[in-house]
Coordinates of all heavy atoms in Angstrom, one line a residue:
S50 N -225.2 66.8 15.0 CA -225.8 65.8 14.2 C -226.5 66.3 13.0 O -226.8 65.6 12.0 CB -226.7 64.9 15.0 OG -227.8 65.6 15.4
R51 N -226.8 67.7 12.9 CA -227.5 68.3 11.8 C -226.5 68.9 10.8 O -227.0 69.3 9.8 CB -228.4 69.3 12.4 CG -229.5 68.8 13.3 CD -230.4 69.8 13.7 NE -229.6 70.8 14.5 CZ -230.1 71.9 15.1 NH1 -231.4 72.1 15.0 NH2 -229.4 72.6 15.8
V52 N -225.2 68.9 11.1 CA -224.3 69.4 10.1 C -224.0 68.4 9.0 O -223.7 67.3 9.2 CB -222.9 69.8 10.8 CG1 -221.9 70.3 9.8 CG2 -223.2 70.8 11.9
T53 N -224.2 68.9 7.8 CA -223.9 68.1 6.6 C -222.7 68.5 5.9 O -222.1 67.7 5.1 CB -225.1 68.1 5.7 OG1 -225.4 69.4 5.3 CG2 -226.3 67.4 6.3
Y54 N -222.3 69.7 5.9 CA -221.0 70.2 5.3 C -220.6 71.5 6.0 O -221.3 72.1 6.7 CB -221.2 70.4 3.8 CG -222.1 71.6 3.5 CD1 -221.5 72.9 3.3 CD2 -223.4 71.4 3.3 CE1 -222.4 73.9 3.0 CE2 -224.2 72.5 2.9 CZ -223.7 73.7 2.8 OH -224.5 74.8 2.5
M55 N -219.3 71.8 5.8 CA -218.7 73.1 6.3 C -218.3 73.9 5.1 O -217.9 73.3 4.0 CB -217.5 72.9 7.2 CG -217.8 72.4 8.5 SD -216.3 72.4 9.5 CE -216.8 71.5 11.0
M56 N -218.3 75.2 5.2 CA -217.8 76.1 4.2 C -216.7 76.9 4.8 O -216.9 77.6 5.8 CB -218.9 77.0 3.7 CG -218.4 77.9 2.5 SD -219.7 78.8 1.8 CE -220.3 79.9 3.1
V57 N -215.5 76.8 4.2 CA -214.3 77.6 4.7 C -214.2 78.8 3.8 O -214.1 78.7 2.6 CB -213.1 76.7 4.6 CG1 -211.8 77.5 5.0 CG2 -213.2 75.4 5.4
N58 N -214.3 80.0 4.4 CA -214.2 81.2 3.7 C -212.8 81.8 4.1 O -212.4 81.8 5.2 CB -215.2 82.2 4.2 CG -216.6 81.8 3.8 OD1 -216.9 81.5 2.6 ND2 -217.5 81.7 4.7
L59 N -212.1 82.3 3.0 CA -210.8 82.9 3.3 C -210.5 84.0 2.2 O -211.2 84.0 1.2 CB -209.7 81.8 3.3 CG -209.5 81.1 1.9 CD1 -208.2 81.3 1.4 CD2 -209.8 79.6 2.2
S60 N -209.5 84.8 2.5 CA -209.0 85.8 1.5 C -207.5 85.5 1.3 O -206.7 85.4 2.2 CB -209.2 87.2 2.1 OG -210.5 87.5 2.3
L61 N -207.1 85.5 0.0 CA -205.7 85.6 -0.3 C -205.4 87.1 -0.5 O -206.0 87.8 -1.3 CB -205.5 84.8 -1.7 CG -205.8 83.4 -1.7 CD1 -205.5 82.8 -3.1 CD2 -204.9 82.6 -0.6
V62 N -204.5 87.5 0.4 CA -204.2 89.0 0.4 C -203.4 89.4 -0.8 O -202.7 88.7 -1.5 CB -203.6 89.4 1.8 CG1 -204.5 89.1 2.9 CG2 -202.2 88.7 1.9
E63 N -203.4 90.8 -0.9 CA -202.6 91.4 -2.0 C -201.1 91.1 -1.8 O -200.6 91.2 -0.7 CB -202.8 92.9 -2.0 CG -202.1 93.6 -3.1 CD -202.4 95.1 -3.1 OE1 -203.4 95.5 -2.5 OE2 -201.7 95.8 -3.8
N64 N -200.4 90.7 -2.9 CA -199.0 90.4 -2.9 C -198.4 90.7 -4.3 O -198.6 89.9 -5.2 CB -198.8 89.0 -2.4 CG -197.3 88.7 -2.3 OD1 -196.4 89.4 -2.7 ND2 -197.0 87.6 -1.6
A65 N -197.8 91.9 -4.4 CA -197.2 92.2 -5.7 C -196.1 91.3 -6.1 O -195.7 91.3 -7.3 CB -196.8 93.7 -5.7
L66 N -195.5 90.6 -5.2 CA -194.3 89.8 -5.5 C -194.7 88.4 -5.9 O -193.9 87.7 -6.5 CB -193.4 89.7 -4.3 CG -192.8 91.0 -3.8 CD1 -192.0 90.8 -2.6 CD2 -192.0 91.7 -4.9
A67 N -195.9 88.0 -5.6 CA -196.4 86.6 -5.9 C -196.6 86.5 -7.4 O -197.1 87.4 -8.1 CB -197.6 86.3 -5.2
A68 N -196.4 85.3 -8.0 CA -196.6 85.1 -9.4 C -198.1 85.0 -9.7 O -198.9 84.4 -8.9 CB -196.0 83.8 -9.8
A69 N -198.5 85.6 -10.8 CA -199.9 85.6 -11.1 C -200.3 84.3 -11.8 O -199.4 83.6 -12.4 CB -200.2 86.7 -12.1
G70 N -201.5 83.8 -11.6 CA -201.9 82.6 -12.3 C -202.7 81.7 -11.3 O -203.0 82.2 -10.2
P71 N -203.0 80.5 -11.7 CA -203.8 79.6 -10.9 C -203.1 79.2 -9.6 O -201.9 78.9 -9.7 CB -204.1 78.4 -11.8 CG -203.1 78.5 -12.9 CD -202.6 79.9 -13.0
V72 N -203.8 79.2 -8.5 CA -203.3 78.8 -7.2 C -204.3 77.8 -6.6 O -205.5 78.1 -6.5 CB -203.1 80.0 -6.2 CG1 -202.7 79.5 -4.9 CG2 -202.1 81.0 -6.8
R73 N -203.8 76.6 -6.3 CA -204.6 75.6 -5.6 C -204.5 75.8 -4.1 O -203.4 75.9 -3.6 CB -204.3 74.2 -6.0 CG -205.1 73.2 -5.2 CD -205.5 72.0 -6.0 NE -206.2 72.2 -7.3 CZ -207.5 72.2 -7.6 NH1 -208.3 72.1 -6.6 NH2 -207.9 72.3 -8.8
V74 N -205.7 75.9 -3.4 CA -205.7 76.1 -2.0 C -206.3 74.8 -1.4 O -207.3 74.3 -1.8 CB -206.6 77.3 -1.6 CG1 -206.7 77.5 -0.1 CG2 -206.1 78.6 -2.3
Y75 N -205.6 74.3 -0.4 CA -205.9 73.0 0.2 C -206.4 73.2 1.6 O -205.9 74.1 2.4 CB -204.7 72.1 0.3 CG -204.0 71.9 -1.0 CD1 -202.9 72.7 -1.3 CD2 -204.5 71.0 -1.9 CE1 -202.2 72.5 -2.6 CE2 -203.8 70.8 -3.1 CZ -202.7 71.5 -3.4 OH -202.1 71.3 -4.7
V76 N -207.4 72.5 2.0 CA -208.0 72.5 3.4 C -207.8 71.2 4.0 O -208.0 70.1 3.5 CB -209.5 72.8 3.3 CG1 -210.1 72.7 4.7 CG2 -209.8 74.2 2.8
R77 N -207.3 71.2 5.3 CA -207.1 70.1 6.1 C -207.9 70.3 7.3 O -207.8 71.2 8.1 CB -205.6 70.0 6.4 CG -205.2 68.8 7.2 CD -203.7 68.8 7.4 NE -203.3 67.7 8.2 CZ -202.5 67.8 9.3 NH1 -202.0 69.0 9.6 NH2 -202.2 66.8 10.0
L78 N -208.8 69.3 7.6 CA -209.7 69.4 8.7 C -209.3 68.3 9.7 O -209.1 67.1 9.4 CB -211.2 69.2 8.3 CG -212.3 69.3 9.3 CD1 -212.3 70.8 9.9 CD2 -213.6 69.0 8.7
I79 N -209.2 68.7 11.0 CA -208.8 67.8 12.1 C -209.9 67.8 13.1 O -210.4 68.8 13.6 CB -207.5 68.2 12.7 CG1 -206.3 68.2 11.7 CG2 -207.1 67.3 13.9 CD1 -205.1 68.9 12.1
G80 N -210.4 66.6 13.4 CA -211.6 66.4 14.2 C -211.3 66.6 15.7 O -210.1 66.7 16.1
P81 N -212.3 66.6 16.5 CA -212.1 66.7 18.0 C -211.2 65.7 18.6 O -210.6 65.9 19.6 CB -213.6 66.6 18.5 CG -214.5 66.9 17.4 CD -213.7 66.5 16.1
D82 N -211.1 64.5 18.0 CA -210.3 63.4 18.5 C -208.9 63.5 18.0 O -208.1 62.6 18.3 CB -210.9 62.1 18.1 CG -211.1 61.9 16.6 OD1 -210.8 62.8 15.8 OD2 -211.6 60.8 16.2
G83 N -208.6 64.5 17.2 CA -207.2 64.7 16.7 C -206.9 64.0 15.4 O -205.8 64.1 14.9
Q84 N -207.9 63.3 14.8 CA -207.7 62.6 13.6 C -208.0 63.5 12.4 O -208.9 64.3 12.4 CB -208.7 61.4 13.5 CG -208.4 60.4 14.6 CD -207.0 59.7 14.5 OE1 -206.6 59.3 13.4 NE2 -206.3 59.7 15.6
E85 N -207.2 63.3 11.3 CA -207.4 64.0 10.1 C -208.7 63.5 9.4 O -208.9 62.3 9.4 CB -206.3 63.8 9.1 CG -205.0 64.4 9.3 CD -204.0 64.1 8.2 OE1 -204.0 63.0 7.7 OE2 -203.2 65.0 7.9
L86 N -209.5 64.4 8.9 CA -210.7 64.0 8.2 C -210.4 64.2 6.7 O -210.4 65.4 6.3 CB -211.9 64.8 8.6 CG -212.2 64.7 10.1 CD1 -213.3 65.7 10.6 CD2 -212.6 63.3 10.5
T87 N -210.1 63.2 6.0 CA -209.6 63.3 4.6 C -210.6 62.7 3.6 O -211.5 61.9 4.0 CB -208.3 62.6 4.4 OG1 -208.4 61.2 4.5 CG2 -207.3 63.0 5.5
N88 N -210.4 63.1 2.4 CA -211.2 62.5 1.3 C -210.5 61.3 0.6 O -210.8 60.9 -0.4 CB -211.6 63.6 0.3 CG -210.4 64.1 -0.5 OD1 -209.3 63.6 -0.3 ND2 -210.6 65.1 -1.3
G89 N -209.4 60.9 1.3 CA -208.6 59.8 0.7 C -207.4 60.2 -0.1 O -206.6 59.4 -0.5
S90 N -207.3 61.5 -0.3 CA -206.2 62.0 -1.1 C -205.2 62.7 -0.2 O -205.5 63.0 0.9 CB -206.7 63.0 -2.2 OG -207.6 62.4 -3.1
T91 N -204.0 63.1 -0.8 CA -203.0 63.8 -0.1 C -202.6 65.0 -0.9 O -202.9 65.1 -2.1 CB -201.8 63.0 0.2 OG1 -201.2 62.5 -1.0 CG2 -202.1 61.8 1.1
F92 N -201.9 65.9 -0.3 CA -201.3 67.1 -1.0 C -199.9 67.3 -0.3 O -199.6 66.9 0.7 CB -202.2 68.3 -1.0 CG -202.3 68.9 0.4 CD1 -201.5 70.0 0.8 CD2 -203.2 68.4 1.4 CE1 -201.6 70.6 2.0 CE2 -203.3 69.0 2.6 CZ -202.5 70.1 2.9
T93 N -199.1 68.1 -1.1 CA -197.8 68.4 -0.5 C -197.7 69.9 -0.4 O -198.0 70.7 -1.3 CB -196.7 67.9 -1.5 OG1 -196.8 66.5 -1.6 CG2 -195.3 68.2 -0.9
S94 N -197.3 70.4 0.8 CA -197.1 71.8 1.1 C -195.7 72.0 1.8 O -195.5 71.3 2.8 CB -198.2 72.3 1.9 OG -198.0 73.7 2.3
G95 N -194.9 72.8 1.2 CA -193.6 73.0 1.8 C -192.8 71.8 1.9 O -192.0 71.6 2.8
G96 N -193.0 70.8 1.0 CA -192.2 69.6 1.0 C -192.8 68.5 1.9 O -192.2 67.4 2.0
V97 N -193.9 68.8 2.6 CA -194.5 67.8 3.5 C -195.8 67.3 2.9 O -196.7 68.1 2.5 CB -194.7 68.5 4.9 CG1 -195.4 67.5 5.8 CG2 -193.4 68.9 5.5
S98 N -196.0 66.0 2.9 CA -197.3 65.4 2.4 C -198.3 65.3 3.6 O -197.9 64.9 4.7 CB -197.0 64.0 1.9 OG -198.2 63.4 1.4
M99 N -199.5 65.7 3.3 CA -200.6 65.7 4.4 C -201.9 65.2 3.7 O -202.0 65.2 2.5 CB -200.8 67.1 4.9 CG -199.6 67.7 5.7 SD -199.9 69.4 6.1 CE -198.9 70.2 5.0
G100 N -202.8 64.8 4.6 CA -204.1 64.3 4.2 C -204.9 65.5 3.7 O -204.9 66.6 4.4
L101 N -205.6 65.3 2.6 CA -206.4 66.4 2.0 C -207.9 66.2 2.4 O -208.4 65.1 2.3 CB -206.3 66.3 0.5 CG -207.1 67.3 -0.3 CD1 -206.8 68.7 0.0 CD2 -207.0 67.0 -1.8
T102 N -208.5 67.3 2.8 CA -210.0 67.2 3.1 C -210.7 67.8 1.9 O -211.7 67.3 1.5 CB -210.3 68.0 4.4 OG1 -209.6 67.5 5.5 CG2 -211.8 67.9 4.7
A103 N -210.3 69.0 1.4 CA -210.9 69.6 0.3 C -210.0 70.6 -0.4 O -209.0 71.0 0.3 CB -212.2 70.4 0.7
S104 N -210.2 71.0 -1.6 CA -209.4 72.0 -2.2 C -210.1 72.7 -3.3 O -211.2 72.2 -3.8 CB -208.1 71.3 -2.9 OG -208.4 70.6 -4.0
S105 N -209.6 73.8 -3.7 CA -210.2 74.6 -4.8 C -209.1 75.4 -5.5 O -208.1 75.8 -4.8 CB -211.3 75.5 -4.3 OG -211.9 76.2 -5.3
E106 N -209.3 75.8 -6.7 CA -208.3 76.6 -7.4 C -208.9 78.0 -7.7 O -210.0 78.1 -8.0 CB -207.9 75.9 -8.8 CG -206.7 76.5 -9.5 CD -206.2 75.7 -10.6 OE1 -205.3 74.8 -10.4 OE2 -206.7 75.9 -11.7
V107 N -208.0 79.0 -7.6 CA -208.4 80.3 -7.9 C -207.4 81.0 -8.8 O -206.2 80.6 -8.7 CB -208.6 81.1 -6.6 CG1 -207.3 81.3 -5.8 CG2 -209.2 82.5 -6.8
D108 N -207.8 81.9 -9.6 CA -207.0 82.6 -10.5 C -206.4 83.9 -9.8 O -207.1 84.9 -9.7 CB -207.6 83.1 -11.8 CG -206.7 83.7 -12.8 OD1 -205.5 83.5 -12.7 OD2 -207.2 84.4 -13.7
Y109 N -205.3 83.8 -9.2 CA -204.7 84.9 -8.4 C -203.9 85.8 -9.3 O -202.9 85.4 -10.0 CB -203.8 84.3 -7.3 CG -203.3 85.3 -6.3 CD1 -204.1 86.0 -5.4 CD2 -201.9 85.6 -6.3 CE1 -203.6 86.9 -4.6 CE2 -201.4 86.5 -5.4 CZ -202.3 87.2 -4.6 OH -201.8 88.1 -3.7
Q110 N -204.2 87.1 -9.2 CA -203.5 88.1 -10.0 C -202.7 89.1 -9.2 O -202.5 90.2 -9.7 CB -204.5 88.8 -11.0 CG -205.1 87.8 -12.0 CD -204.1 87.2 -12.9 OE1 -203.2 87.8 -13.4 NE2 -204.2 85.9 -13.1
G111 N -202.4 88.8 -7.9 CA -201.7 89.7 -7.1 C -202.6 90.5 -6.2 O -202.1 91.2 -5.3
A112 N -203.9 90.7 -6.5 CA -204.8 91.5 -5.8 C -205.5 90.5 -4.8 O -205.6 89.3 -5.0 CB -205.8 92.2 -6.7
E113 N -206.1 91.1 -3.7 CA -206.9 90.3 -2.8 C -208.0 89.7 -3.4 O -208.7 90.2 -4.2 CB -207.4 91.2 -1.6 CG -208.1 90.4 -0.5 CD -208.4 91.2 0.7 OE1 -207.7 92.2 1.0 OE2 -209.3 90.8 1.4
V114 N -208.2 88.4 -3.1 CA -209.3 87.6 -3.7 C -210.0 86.8 -2.5 O -209.3 86.2 -1.7 CB -208.9 86.7 -4.8 CG1 -207.8 85.7 -4.4 CG2 -210.0 86.0 -5.5
D115 N -211.3 86.8 -2.5 CA -212.0 86.1 -1.5 C -212.4 84.8 -2.1 O -212.8 84.7 -3.3 CB -213.3 86.8 -1.0 CG -212.9 88.1 -0.3 OD1 -211.9 88.1 0.4 OD2 -213.7 89.1 -0.4
M116 N -212.5 83.7 -1.3 CA -212.9 82.4 -1.9 C -213.5 81.6 -0.8 O -213.4 81.8 0.4 CB -211.7 81.7 -2.5 CG -210.6 81.3 -1.6 SD -209.2 80.5 -2.4 CE -209.9 79.1 -3.2
S117 N -214.3 80.6 -1.2 CA -215.0 79.6 -0.3 C -214.7 78.2 -0.8 O -214.7 78.0 -2.0 CB -216.5 79.8 -0.3 OG -216.8 81.1 0.2
I118 N -214.4 77.3 0.1 CA -214.2 75.9 -0.2 C -215.2 75.1 0.7 O -215.2 75.2 1.9 CB -212.7 75.5 0.1 CG1 -211.8 76.4 -0.7 CG2 -212.5 74.1 -0.2 CD1 -210.3 76.2 -0.3
Y119 N -215.9 74.3 0.0 CA -216.9 73.4 0.7 C -216.3 72.1 1.1 O -215.6 71.5 0.4 CB -218.1 73.1 -0.2 CG -219.0 74.3 -0.4 CD1 -218.8 75.2 -1.5 CD2 -220.0 74.6 0.5 CE1 -219.5 76.3 -1.7 CE2 -220.8 75.8 0.3 CZ -220.6 76.6 -0.8 OH -221.3 77.7 -1.0
V120 N -216.5 71.7 2.4 CA -216.1 70.5 2.9 C -217.3 69.6 3.1 O -218.1 69.9 4.0 CB -215.3 70.6 4.3 CG1 -215.0 69.3 4.9 CG2 -214.1 71.5 4.1
H121 N -217.5 68.7 2.1 CA -218.8 67.9 2.2 C -218.7 66.4 2.1 O -219.7 65.7 2.0 CB -219.7 68.4 1.0 CG -219.1 68.4 -0.3 ND1 -219.0 67.3 -1.1 CD2 -218.5 69.4 -1.0 CE1 -218.4 67.5 -2.2 NE2 -218.1 68.8 -2.2
K122 N -217.5 65.9 2.1 CA -217.3 64.4 2.0 C -217.0 63.8 3.3 O -216.4 62.8 3.4 CB -216.3 64.1 0.9 CG -216.8 64.5 -0.4 CD -215.9 64.0 -1.5 CE -216.4 64.4 -2.8 NZ -215.6 63.9 -3.9
I123 N -217.4 64.4 4.4 CA -217.2 63.9 5.8 C -218.5 63.1 6.2 O -219.6 63.7 6.1 CB -216.9 65.0 6.8 CG1 -215.7 65.9 6.3 CG2 -216.7 64.4 8.2 CD1 -214.4 65.1 6.1
P124 N -218.3 61.8 6.5 CA -219.6 61.0 6.8 C -220.4 61.6 7.9 O -221.6 61.6 7.8 CB -219.0 59.6 7.1 CG -217.6 59.7 6.9 CD -217.1 61.0 6.6
E125 N -219.8 62.1 9.0 CA -220.6 62.5 10.1 C -219.7 63.5 11.0 O -218.5 63.2 11.2 CB -221.0 61.3 11.0 CG -221.9 61.7 12.1 CD -222.5 60.5 12.8 OE1 -222.0 59.4 12.6 OE2 -223.3 60.7 13.7
Y126 N -220.3 64.5 11.4 CA -219.7 65.5 12.3 C -220.1 65.2 13.7 O -221.3 64.9 14.0 CB -220.0 66.9 11.9 CG -219.3 67.4 10.6 CD1 -220.1 67.3 9.4 CD2 -218.0 67.9 10.6 CE1 -219.5 67.7 8.3 CE2 -217.5 68.3 9.4 CZ -218.2 68.2 8.2 OH -217.6 68.6 7.1
F127 N -219.2 65.4 14.7 CA -219.6 65.2 16.1 C -219.4 66.5 16.9 O -218.7 67.4 16.4 CB -218.7 64.1 16.7 CG -218.9 62.8 16.0 CD1 -218.0 62.3 15.0 CD2 -219.9 61.9 16.4 CE1 -218.1 61.1 14.4 CE2 -220.1 60.7 15.7 CZ -219.2 60.3 14.8
K128 N -219.9 66.6 18.1 CA -219.7 67.7 18.9 C -218.2 67.8 19.3 O -217.5 66.8 19.4 CB -220.4 67.6 20.3 CG -221.9 67.7 20.1 CD -222.6 67.5 21.5 CE -224.1 67.6 21.4 NZ -224.7 67.5 22.7
G129 N -217.7 69.1 19.4 CA -216.3 69.3 19.8 C -215.7 70.4 18.9 O -216.3 71.0 18.1
T130 N -214.4 70.5 19.1 CA -213.6 71.5 18.4 C -212.9 70.9 17.2 O -212.1 70.0 17.4 CB -212.6 72.2 19.4 OG1 -213.3 72.7 20.5 CG2 -211.8 73.3 18.7
Y131 N -213.1 71.5 16.1 CA -212.4 71.1 14.8 C -211.4 72.2 14.5 O -211.6 73.3 14.7 CB -213.5 71.0 13.7 CG -214.4 69.8 13.8 CD1 -215.5 69.9 14.7 CD2 -214.2 68.7 13.1 CE1 -216.3 68.8 14.8 CE2 -215.1 67.6 13.2 CZ -216.1 67.7 14.1 OH -217.0 66.6 14.2
T132 N -210.3 71.7 14.0 CA -209.2 72.6 13.5 C -209.2 72.6 12.0 O -209.1 71.6 11.4 CB -207.8 72.3 14.1 OG1 -207.9 72.3 15.5 CG2 -206.8 73.2 13.6
V133 N -209.3 73.8 11.4 CA -209.3 74.0 10.0 C -207.9 74.6 9.6 O -207.6 75.7 10.1 CB -210.4 74.9 9.5 CG1 -210.4 75.0 8.0 CG2 -211.8 74.3 9.9
E134 N -207.2 73.9 8.8 CA -205.9 74.5 8.3 C -205.9 74.7 6.8 O -206.5 73.8 6.1 CB -204.7 73.5 8.7 CG -204.6 73.3 10.2 CD -203.5 72.3 10.5 OE1 -203.1 71.5 9.6 OE2 -203.1 72.2 11.7
V135 N -205.4 75.8 6.4 CA -205.4 76.1 4.9 C -204.0 76.3 4.4 O -203.2 76.9 5.1 CB -206.2 77.4 4.7 CG1 -206.3 77.8 3.2 CG2 -207.6 77.3 5.3
Y136 N -203.7 75.7 3.2 CA -202.3 75.7 2.7 C -202.4 76.0 1.2 O -203.4 75.8 0.5 CB -201.8 74.2 2.8 CG -201.5 73.8 4.2 CD1 -202.5 73.2 5.0 CD2 -200.3 73.9 4.8 CE1 -202.3 72.7 6.3 CE2 -200.1 73.4 6.1 CZ -201.1 72.9 6.8 OH -200.9 72.4 8.1
T137 N -201.2 76.3 0.7 CA -200.9 76.3 -0.7 C -199.7 75.4 -0.9 O -199.2 74.9 0.2 CB -200.6 77.7 -1.4 OG1 -199.4 78.2 -0.7 CG2 -201.7 78.6 -1.2
K138 N -199.2 75.1 -2.1 CA -198.1 74.2 -2.2 C -196.8 74.8 -1.5 O -195.9 74.2 -1.2 CB -197.8 73.9 -3.6 CG -197.4 75.0 -4.5 CD -197.1 74.5 -5.9 CE -196.6 75.7 -6.8 NZ -196.3 75.2 -8.1
Q139 N -196.8 76.2 -1.4 CA -195.7 76.9 -0.8 C -195.6 76.7 0.7 O -194.6 76.7 1.3 CB -195.6 78.3 -1.2 CG -195.2 78.6 -2.6 CD -196.4 78.4 -3.6 OE1 -197.6 78.4 -3.1 NE2 -196.1 78.3 -4.8
G140 N -196.8 76.7 1.4 CA -196.8 76.6 2.8 C -198.2 76.9 3.4 O -199.2 77.1 2.7
R141 N -198.2 77.0 4.7 CA -199.5 77.2 5.5 C -199.9 78.7 5.4 O -199.1 79.6 5.6 CB -199.3 76.8 6.9 CG -200.5 76.8 7.8 CD -200.2 76.3 9.1 NE -201.2 76.7 10.1 CZ -201.3 76.2 11.3 NH1 -200.4 75.3 11.7 NH2 -202.2 76.6 12.1
L142 N -201.2 78.9 5.1 CA -201.8 80.2 5.1 C -202.3 80.6 6.4 O -202.3 81.8 6.8 CB -202.9 80.3 4.0 CG -202.4 80.1 2.5 CD1 -203.7 80.2 1.7 CD2 -201.4 81.1 2.1
G143 N -202.9 79.7 7.1 CA -203.5 80.0 8.4 C -204.3 78.8 9.0 O -204.5 77.8 8.3
S144 N -204.9 79.0 10.1 CA -205.8 78.0 10.7 C -206.8 78.7 11.6 O -206.7 79.9 12.0 CB -205.0 77.0 11.5 OG -204.4 77.7 12.7
A145 N -207.9 77.9 11.9 CA -208.9 78.4 12.8 C -209.6 77.2 13.5 O -209.5 76.1 12.9 CB -210.0 79.2 12.0
D146 N -210.2 77.5 14.6 CA -210.9 76.4 15.3 C -212.4 76.7 15.2 O -212.8 77.9 15.2 CB -210.6 76.4 16.8 CG -209.2 75.8 17.1 OD1 -208.7 75.1 16.2 OD2 -208.6 76.2 18.1
V147 N -213.2 75.6 15.0 CA -214.6 75.7 14.9 C -215.2 74.8 15.9 O -214.8 73.6 16.0 CB -215.1 75.3 13.4 CG1 -216.6 75.3 13.3 CG2 -214.4 76.1 12.4
I148 N -216.1 75.3 16.7 CA -216.8 74.5 17.8 C -218.2 74.1 17.4 O -219.0 75.0 17.0 CB -216.8 75.3 19.1 CG1 -215.4 75.6 19.5 CG2 -217.5 74.5 20.2 CD1 -215.3 76.6 20.7
L149 N -218.4 72.8 17.3 CA -219.8 72.3 17.1 C -220.4 71.9 18.4 O -219.7 71.1 19.2 CB -219.8 71.1 16.1 CG -219.3 71.4 14.7 CD1 -219.3 70.2 13.9 CD2 -220.1 72.5 14.1
R150 N -221.6 72.3 18.7 CA -222.2 72.0 20.0 C -223.4 71.1 19.8 O -224.0 71.1 18.9 CB -222.7 73.3 20.7 CG -221.6 74.2 21.0 CD -222.1 75.5 21.5 NE -221.0 76.4 21.6 CZ -220.6 77.0 22.6 NH1 -221.2 76.9 23.8 NH2 -219.5 77.8 22.6

């Protein structure tokens, strides 16, 4: 009940083959009840449309870059396990579970 926002920290790893330039990174948060926690918007990754929780853009130049994305438009967090999924328009970068007690 004391959580007001989450911060998702991630690294885009070095990739000499990737095009340099701006990359939008999307966060999708799924609550303990299995429901998407969205800000009312959607995004498309790998041709699939999904609910958007938060996003941020980074200038990727092929070298590893660390970034943080704040998730702050969720009305209330409850106890349980949340799944955080991270995407670009090309596909899924990864996921992690966060437990709130």
Side-chain angles (χ1 to χ4, degrees):
S50 66
R51 297 180 299 180
V52 175
T53 56
Y54 68 90
M55 285 189 190
M56 182 171 67
V57 178
N58 295 307
L59 62 117
S60 296
L61 297 178
V62 297
E63 181 177 348
N64 184 344
L66 300 176
V72 173
R73 178 141 309 263
V74 178
Y75 305 99
V76 172
R77 182 174 175 235
L78 185 63
I79 301 168
D82 59 359
Q84 297 295 312
E85 287 182 326
L86 303 173
T87 71
N88 66 6
S90 299
T91 61
F92 70 97
T93 301
S94 177
V97 177
S98 182
M99 293 175 255
L101 175 66
T102 303
S104 71
S105 184
E106 190 170 272
V107 64
D108 184 21
Y109 183 69
Q110 296 299 316
E113 184 170 335
V114 61
D115 296 326
M116 63 185 300
S117 299
I118 301 173
Y119 289 91
V120 176
H121 55 80
K122 294 188 178 182
I123 305 302
E125 188 174 7
Y126 291 96
F127 299 98
K128 290 181 182 181
T130 302
Y131 289 78
T132 300
V133 180
E134 299 177 343
V135 181
Y136 296 85
T137 64
K138 69 179 180 177
Q139 288 81 19
R141 184 175 162 169
L142 297 178
S144 67
D146 289 335
V147 177
I148 300 172
L149 296 182
R150 297 175 191 237

